[in-house]
Amino acid sequence: MKTVHKPTPVALVIFGATGDLTWRKLIPALYNLFLDSLLPEKFVIYGIYRKPLGLEEWREHLRDGIDRFSRRGKTDATTWNVFSGHLAVCQWDEFNDDEAFTSLGKALGEQEKAWGGHSERVYYLATPPTLVETIVHHLDRSRLTKDHRRSRVVVEKPFGRDLDSAQALNRSLRKSLDESQIYRIDHYLGKETVQNILAFRFANLFFEPIWNRNHIDHVQITVSEQIGVEHRGGYYDHAGALRDMIQNHLLQILCLIAMEPPVAFSAEEIRDRKVEVLRAIRPIPEDQVGRYAVRGQYGPGWIEGTHVPDYRKEPGVDPNSTTETLAALKLFVDNWRWQDVPFYLRTGKRLTQKVSQVVIQLRPIPHRSFPTSASQDWEPNRIMIEIQPHEAITQCLQVKHPGPETKLSVHNMVFRYTDAFKTTLPEAYETLLLDVIKGDATLFMRADQVEYAWMVVDPVLKVWEQVAQAGFPNYGAGSWGPENAETLIARDGRSWVNPVFVDQEAKEPLR
Ligand SMILES: NC(=O)c1ccc[n+]([C@@H]2O[C@H](COP(=O)([O-])OP(=O)(O)OC[C@H]3O[C@@H](n4cnc5c(N)ncnc54)[C@H](OP(=O)(O)O)[C@@H]3O)[C@@H](O)[C@H]2O)c1
């Protein structure tokens, strides 16, 4: 989507560099950027952590992460040796020690001196959210972020836990940083198909004439997972599906589907258009939450032949937890383009399949000239944007069967990234890290974007916190969720479009 150019020297400082995110995502992504020669020749990655782990042990730990999680497979010794030469550590007992920050500043200064000039500085906060304000405050006190153009801070999700806390966090960060320095990451926005939604909509003439309430019946956005909470039980049990997925990932996808065409492909322009969508989402009145939002929690069940326990038995989860592991919403975007077109959003854990997809369901054609016998399988056209497991865009069309008889049925015209480009796609973190290094904030969330997104879910959160859902767990692991999620959409005479996989090995979707 964007012009790739080699960035100037960069010092990347990762706070919390012994954590899962660094191990599974950040370092494999940086290693792939290195393999693709997308990092500058002059770069250093400082790992900051509190564990008593020497440089060599940390490097080995990171290599293990690449070997396990990189899309390119295992490291080779020669490349790894060169890459690992760029890794340095700072072991700190606490992340609120002025002296430690001052010594980091000295190390960065000496590095720049050795390079013969300024570098881009990226501070990646891969720590629990509770440390974000402390670290940012100390970076500021130590004048490590004083150069607004060259120093950036990446803040991971979750960004607050409701509107009030997100606003407070924004206020606090802006005491130390300029908004242009804050990169609030939502890794979904780094996925190729998500970015491709913009190309699909705004680089092709076909779609714009039908992309409105006159032709679109409704939109479905589904992000389903097969996994449970894994090692994140402690965090997840205080968050739930609405906070963990809908407030960020699903609403960001909704923005890309619903936004107006940008005048230019610039960070502010695109983020302005997205904010307009969030502002136009019809608020859900607290006394009508039940009509617009439903929740579920999984019980025991089977996922691909393996028995899995109920949510309440997962490590770190309260045995009487009332946290939702599935949430579904019906939203409306009150503007000229989308008035009265429902957007159904659904996300959940331990569902039948892992899939992230957008379904744009078109209205029926105004008149069927074909005989009823020819069109028994008639379905209105549909556009499906699949984000995972395949990255694909599908148009479901009515076509005529070959032969003398006039018989119509639905067939798919599929654009699949891997078929078209014969290459593996970059991981979202590769795209996003490169963007931070270059100072391109297009795919990152601005303060107002985050706050408007919280405004959408806040009434639901409030009501759900006050009134526990009766009958939890209410869906079995391995199913497509509870009955109330079906009812949410069935009440409107519609149904969820679930992928059907014919070949479990190849995970080939058949629809
Ligand atoms: N993991 C993912 O895939 C993922 C995905 C999306 C977003 N995130 C977000 O990314 C952030 C990091 O997640 P994570 O999964 O990497 O967490 P993690 O595995 O718990 O690692 C957190 C890191 O912070 C350090 N840390 C924790 N408390 C500390 C303290 N009081 N003082 C100093 N260091 C402390 C940990 O050090 P020790 O090793 O010494 O405990 C570790 O290095 C979180 O905000 C999370 O929500 C993670």
Side-chain angles (χ1 to χ4, degrees), residues 16-22 24-25 49-51 93 95 125-129 131 156-158 187 231 429:
T18 48
D20 182 69
L21 181 71
T22 309
R24 279 196 310 128
K25 298 286 183 192
Y49 53 76
R50 60 182 176 175
K51 276 203 171 104
D93 291 336
F95 286 6
L125 311 189
T127 61
L131 293 180
E156 267 290 348
K157 76 163 210 183
H187 72 269
H231 60 282
Y429 275 97

Side-chain angles (χ1 to χ4, degrees), residues 17 163 249 270 293 397 414 452:
L163 177 61
H249 306 325
I270 287 178
L397 308 169
V414 184
Y452 278 114

Side-chain angles (χ1 to χ4, degrees), residues 188-201:
Y188 249 67
L189 296 179
K191 290 179 185 284
E192 284 289 333
T193 325
V194 174
Q195 293 179 66
N196 202 27
I197 294 173
L198 291 180
F200 177 70
R201 287 194 55 201

Side-chain angles (χ1 to χ4, degrees), residues 78-289:
T78 316
T79 319
W80 167 254
N81 286 339
V82 180
F83 178 79
S84 65
H86 294 264
L87 298 171
V89 297
C90 301
Q91 242 179 301
W92 297 2
D93 291 336
E94 299 289 342
F95 286 6
N96 57 3
D97 175 357
D98 280 334
E99 268 180 41
F101 280 88
T102 307
S103 68
L104 173 66
K106 272 193 195 142
L108 290 171
E110 277 162 24
Q111 181 64 73
E112 287 181 349
K113 220 167 162 185
W115 283 337
H118 288 294
S119 64
E120 307 294 313
R121 292 184 182 182
V122 175
Y123 304 99
Y124 202 116
L125 311 189
T127 61
T130 43
L131 293 180
V132 166
E133 284 172 88
T134 309
I135 296 172
V136 168
H137 172 69
H138 281 84
L139 284 170
D140 179 37
R141 261 163 75 112
S142 316
R143 303 184 60 73
L144 289 173
T145 46
K146 72 174 190 304
D147 184 341
H148 290 188
R149 280 193 314 115
R150 288 211 177 88
S151 52
R152 288 152 217 141
V153 177
V154 184
V155 184
E156 267 290 348
K157 76 163 210 183
F159 196 91
R161 49 176 289 110
D162 54 21
L163 177 61
D164 288 346
S165 57
Q167 285 174 328
L169 182 54
N170 277 331
R171 277 195 301 274
S172 164
L173 295 187
R174 279 196 301 247
K175 279 186 202 153
S176 306
L177 300 167
D178 187 75
E179 174 63 28
S180 64
Q181 296 178 279
I182 309 171
Y183 283 63
R184 298 172 192 81
I185 201 163
D186 179 343
H187 72 269
Y188 249 67
L189 296 179
K191 290 179 185 284
E192 284 289 333
T193 325
V194 174
Q195 293 179 66
N196 202 27
I197 294 173
L198 291 180
F200 177 70
R201 287 194 55 201
F202 303 130
N204 297 296
L205 194 59
F206 301 122
F207 303 105
E208 179 57 18
I210 58 162
W211 212 260
N212 55 55
R213 65 190 304 277
N214 298 329
H215 300 280
I216 293 178
D217 176 75
H218 73 277
V219 176
Q220 297 183 17
I221 303 174
T222 295
V223 177
S224 63
E225 297 179 287
Q226 283 185 320
I227 55 168
V229 289
E230 299 185 302
H231 60 282
R232 295 169 70 225
Y235 155 74
Y236 192 88
D237 206 33
H238 291 101
L242 191 59
R243 282 194 179 93
D244 192 47
M245 299 295 285
I246 291 196
Q247 185 274 340
N248 37 66
H249 306 325
L250 279 86
L251 283 179
Q252 286 305 312
I253 296 173
L254 185 153
C255 286
L256 292 168
I257 298 295
M259 69 190 256
E260 292 303 312
V263 172
F265 202 82
S266 73
E268 291 318 311
E269 176 71 20
I270 287 178
R271 298 194 296 182
D272 284 348
R273 297 291 84 76
K274 287 181 176 180
V275 165
E276 282 167 7
V277 174
L278 292 169
R279 284 177 48 214
I281 292 178
R282 189 181 302 169
I284 299 178
E286 284 185 30
D287 61 352
Q288 290 181 42
V289 161

Side-chain angles (χ1 to χ4, degrees), residues 211 216 218-219 257 358-362 381-384:
W211 212 260
I216 293 178
H218 73 277
V219 176
I257 298 295
V358 181
V359 175
I360 315 285
Q361 180 66 60
L362 301 192
N381 298 132
R382 191 180 280 164
I383 299 167
M384 302 210 289

